[in-house]
Amino acid sequence: MYLNQLVARAHGTIYRYSFNEPNRIFTFFRTTLPRTFRATWLMTLTAALVFLLPAIIAFIAAFRDPTLGESFVPGIDGIVSQIQNGEEWWLRINEGPAAASAEIMTNVAIRTFAGGITFGIYTFYILLTNGLLLGTVAGIAQRFAFADNLWSFVIGHLALELSAIFIAGGAGLQLAWAILRPGREHSAGGMR
């Protein structure tokens, strides 16, 4: 009975407005999205920390001893060689389709969000491994005085891509929380 009532309420909410109503999109971006973001900010912060803390640790460790890079990111030896040889391998992204950056961001963001269905385990894994990768590469590049080259490319992508990944990670963690603690209130502010 409860499930039927829930579906009936969801139907009424979803189909309350006409899809042709122009204010619906405006209302979503002006009201609904910011309200949802504020309600789930704790999960987004958690996702950011799961990415950033390992990135900082990997940066420091790889800067001090580049051979530790292999411990954090197996198979990174090829990238280390490219850094030592002054090869800007990341420029190949620009040689591909114009949407390569969006494809990378979308791929990681979708996997990070969808990982919530695994009780958040896959979400944590994607955030952790990508943080380790970025920190390790940045630390090694810094060690070999190649960081300016790397950051001049990365900085243009960082804000938008990392924001999308953190928000998607927060949504994945929110999904995991809802699976682990089902009930009426699932937002980070309403966790019981």
Side-chain angles (χ1 to χ4, degrees):
M1 185 70 169
Y2 171 73
L3 185 58
N4 286 339
Q5 292 171 347
L6 190 62
V7 169
R9 280 190 313 192
H11 182 274
T13 300
I14 292 170
Y15 296 105
R16 171 175 36 191
Y17 300 107
S18 164
F19 282 107
N20 296 329
E21 186 177 331
N23 287 336
R24 188 171 187 187
I25 294 172
F26 180 73
T27 300
F28 172 78
F29 284 106
R30 185 162 187 240
T31 307
T32 308
L33 182 63
R35 183 181 303 141
T36 303
F37 185 79
R38 284 189 304 272
T40 60
W41 73 269
L42 188 58
M43 294 295 188
T44 304
L45 176 63
T46 302
L49 291 175
V50 169
F51 182 98
L52 293 172
L53 292 177
I56 292 167
I57 291 167
F59 176 89
I60 293 168
F63 175 73
R64 289 184 176 176
D65 183 3
T67 60
L68 289 175
E70 184 68 28
S71 302
F72 294 120
V73 183
I76 200 163
D77 291 339
I79 293 176
V80 173
S81 297
Q82 289 175 323
I83 289 172
Q84 288 174 323
N85 294 330
E87 295 177 37
E88 295 179 339
W89 76 92
W90 54 83
L91 295 178
R92 287 187 222 123
I93 292 173
N94 292 339
E95 296 170 3
S101 173
E103 183 179 331
I104 292 167
M105 174 180 54
T106 304
N107 183 20
V108 174
I110 287 173
R111 290 179 10 198
T112 304
F113 166 68
I117 199 76
T118 65
F119 306 103
I121 295 168
Y122 191 62
T123 298
F124 276 108
Y125 173 78
I126 294 296
L127 292 167
L128 177 76
T129 56
N130 279 280
L132 288 173
L133 176 63
L134 179 62
T136 302
V137 169
I140 292 169
Q142 185 71 39
R143 173 66 180 230
F144 293 110
F146 199 59
D148 289 346
N149 300 47
L150 175 65
W151 288 114
S152 66
F153 176 78
V154 170
I155 202 75
H157 300 266
L158 217 50
L160 181 61
E161 291 176 18
L162 287 185
S163 296
I165 291 168
F166 297 160
I167 291 168
L173 295 176
Q174 191 72 33
L175 175 60
W177 183 256
I179 292 169
L180 293 169
R181 301 274 312 227
R184 299 183 72 109
E185 187 66 44
H186 296 294
S187 70
M191 286 192 268
R192 293 177 265 172

